[in-house]
Amino acid sequence: MPNAQRRRLAVRSAASALAVALGATALAACGSSDGDGKAESGPVSLTYWTWTPGMDKVVDLWNKGPGKKDRITVVVKKQASGDSLVTKILTAHKAKKAPDLVQAEYQALPTLVSNDALADIAKEVGDAKGRFADGVWQQTTLGTDAVYAIPQDIGPMMFYYRADLFKKYGLKVPTTWDEFAQVARQLKKKAPDKDLTTFSANDSGLFAGLAQQAGAKWWTTSGDKWKVGIDDAATQKVARFWGGLVKEGAVDNQPMYTPAWNKALNTGKQIAWVSAVWAPGTLTTAAPATKGKWAMAPLPQWSAGQNVTGSWGGSSTAVTTDSAHKDAAAKFAAWLNTDGSALQALAKESGIYPAATNAQTSGAFAAPPAYFANQSDFYTKAAEIAKTTAPSAWGPNVNVAYTTFNDAFGAAAKNKSDFVAALNTMQDATVADLKKQGFGVSR
């Protein structure tokens, strides 16, 4: 009901706990039976919904180790990822039958919290904060004193380029976005049949990360209302930049993850990619013939001397308000994402890049990815970049914003038309949807 939703999301200040803003009584009513901190007297069995491959093997370490000692068993239930999982969680929660633990992408957390589906586990896991970069930890607190999940994996953004072709064409690795545009033009002049990169309108997460790096805050709160700033000055700057490059033909305007895109990377028609730390895995499949020819550098900055990156992807482990074993679930969530053996198992079995800083340069990350064997400091550099991740600001209807991006920017990229106009469409659609759902909205 609209009024109930508005009450649940009435955040009164950035410093206040969202649990209070959502209504302490509501959360208490849905809370776990062991929320008073007392030890449970018998064995506990927890259900964990996750899409991560190999998670059952990682959980086995818990069940045979600390879980066995504490008599806490975790059962993995594989699920689909993305919006389908969010929908399934909310459906189960309406029937008060959500699992004890869920894997949730960072942008999905506000939606789950606004529906009272996630428990505040600050008292149980607050000391885990020091294991993560501030910008990463902030994504699980929603900027408040509450903690709604433990960060699991992250996707700090970076710049990937064909080192051999940059050398061949005398190109300088850009450190600013102005230099990036200059390099794109220089390449077109020297090799008209090649592109530095492409603007892909089917990757809303990439655009969101670029806006994040520029300082955008797409969703914030003002009193008891949401404020949507998708068309803020920072995002307009990003939209104008990429729209200008597409319009003049300095970069391509085709979507990524298509056979044509793979071929462009594999043949050297496209010689760079703005991506995230997980890019080596994609390149291994998309451009196998170019293994060992790429290098990674920090993302270009908007001003010389800056040192900040955006985030593309990543997820967390959360405890639901339906769990009857909140303390036990929180204990497992913290172990999964901070324990050394668990993190190395996640890297080995699941191929994730851990959010915990203590695992980003050890074990599986002591040597570079095989695809980047020529860059021995790959993960050392990646860890340094990850520390500079900018805070994000997600809201309860990210799915609407992302869908609108795909449509509006897809048309703008294809027609080489105004990207800022597409951004305005994205803003208007997101605001209209919030109002339709019954949320208070301010400008």
Side-chain angles (χ1 to χ4, degrees):
M1 297 182 353
N3 289 337
Q5 278 190 308
R6 188 174 291 116
R7 285 197 301 273
R8 285 200 297 269
L9 217 49
V11 183
R12 291 177 175 78
S13 73
S16 66
L18 194 57
V20 174
L22 294 176
T25 54
L27 287 183
C30 296
S32 64
S33 60
D34 65 339
D36 56 7
K38 296 179 181 179
E40 296 189 50
S41 58
V44 171
S45 179
L46 306 173
T47 301
Y48 177 28
W49 283 5
T50 174
W51 67 82
T52 299
M55 183 60 77
D56 51 344
K57 295 180 180 178
V58 181
V59 170
D60 276 346
L61 296 178
W62 166 268
N63 289 336
K64 295 175 181 178
K68 184 176 181 179
K69 178 182 177 182
D70 294 336
R71 299 199 296 173
I72 301 171
T73 301
V74 176
V75 179
V76 172
K77 297 291 185 181
K78 290 293 181 67
Q79 306 292 333
S81 59
D83 291 343
S84 60
L85 178 56
V86 173
T87 299
K88 188 170 183 178
I89 293 169
L90 293 179
T91 300
H93 173 61
K94 287 179 181 179
K96 303 302 178 187
K97 293 182 179 179
D100 299 278
L101 297 132
V102 295
Q103 182 177 1
E105 292 177 294
Y106 296 115
Q107 67 265 25
L109 292 176
T111 299
L112 296 172
V113 170
S114 69
N115 283 276
D116 295 342
L118 301 186
D120 175 7
I121 54 175
K123 291 182 179 179
E124 292 79 13
V125 302
D127 59 350
K129 179 180 179 180
R131 304 291 189 95
F132 307 94
D134 290 343
V136 174
W137 183 255
Q138 178 267 347
Q139 294 198 84
T140 64
T141 68
L142 308 189
T144 72
D145 294 329
V147 177
Y148 292 105
I150 302 294
Q152 181 164 298
D153 60 302
I154 55 173
M157 294 177 66
M158 303 159 185
F159 178 66
Y160 295 87
Y161 63 99
R162 281 283 300 274
D164 59 331
L165 296 181
F166 263 58
K167 182 178 180 179
K168 177 180 178 179
Y169 296 113
L171 304 176
K172 176 185 175 183
V173 178
T175 60
T176 67
W177 287 111
D178 282 344
E179 290 178 357
F180 179 94
Q182 292 170 13
V183 170
R185 296 176 184 121
Q186 289 169 2
L187 177 64
K188 270 297 177 186
K189 186 175 182 180
K190 295 179 178 182
D193 62 326
K194 296 185 182 298
D195 294 292
L196 179 63
T197 191
T198 186
F199 178 84
S200 180
N202 64 352
D203 287 281
S204 47
L206 169 58
F207 185 78
L210 292 171
Q212 178 188 354
Q213 185 214 19
K217 296 288 188 293
W218 283 4
W219 286 269
T220 55
T221 54
S222 177
D224 63 351
K225 296 180 179 180
W226 280 102
K227 183 176 181 180
V228 181
I230 291 175
D231 63 349
D232 64 9
T235 312
Q236 287 191 30
K237 177 171 64 177
V238 176
R240 281 195 297 270
F241 176 81
W242 286 97
L245 290 179
V246 168
K247 187 174 183 179
E248 69 176 88
V251 300
D252 199 4
N253 62 345
Q254 299 304 308
M256 297 189 287
Y257 309 118
T258 64
W261 180 73
N262 291 346
K263 183 178 180 180
L265 292 177
N266 204 37
T267 60
K269 183 181 184 300
Q270 187 177 130
I271 71 168
W273 185 24
V274 176
S275 189
V277 70
W278 40 259
T282 301
L283 290 171
T284 299
T285 302
T290 62
K291 178 181 178 181
K293 298 180 180 180
W294 290 77
M296 178 269 285
L299 206 62
Q301 303 293 305
W302 284 105
S303 298
Q306 283 187 328
N307 188 21
V308 62
T309 195
S311 182
W312 184 8
S315 64
S316 63
T317 308
V319 177
T320 72
T321 52
D322 291 341
S323 175
H325 311 289
K326 175 184 171 184
D327 291 345
K331 188 171 186 177
F332 167 77
W335 172 87
L336 179 65
N337 300 304
T338 62
D339 179 81
S341 61
L343 291 169
Q344 292 307 317
L346 282 170
K348 178 182 177 181
E349 303 295 345
S350 308
I352 72 160
Y353 183 74
T357 56
N358 63 307
Q360 292 171 358
T361 56
S362 63
F365 304 101
Y371 195 88
F372 282 80
N374 58 309
Q375 189 168 359
S376 61
D377 66 344
F378 183 94
Y379 282 123
T380 300
K381 184 175 291 187
E384 291 300 316
I385 293 171
K387 292 177 183 177
T388 71
T389 302
S392 64
W394 302 113
N397 62 340
V398 174
N399 60 324
V400 172
Y402 276 16
T403 299
T404 307
F405 170 87
N406 292 344
D407 294 337
F409 277 82
K414 180 180 180 180
N415 301 325
K416 297 186 177 182
S417 58
D418 187 4
F419 276 28
V420 174
L423 189 67
N424 293 336
T425 298
M426 192 176 166
Q427 166 79 14
D428 293 344
T430 305
V431 170
D433 178 73
L434 281 178
K435 292 179 177 178
K436 182 179 179 180
Q437 291 190 56
F439 291 108
V441 181
S442 68
R443 283 290 292 176

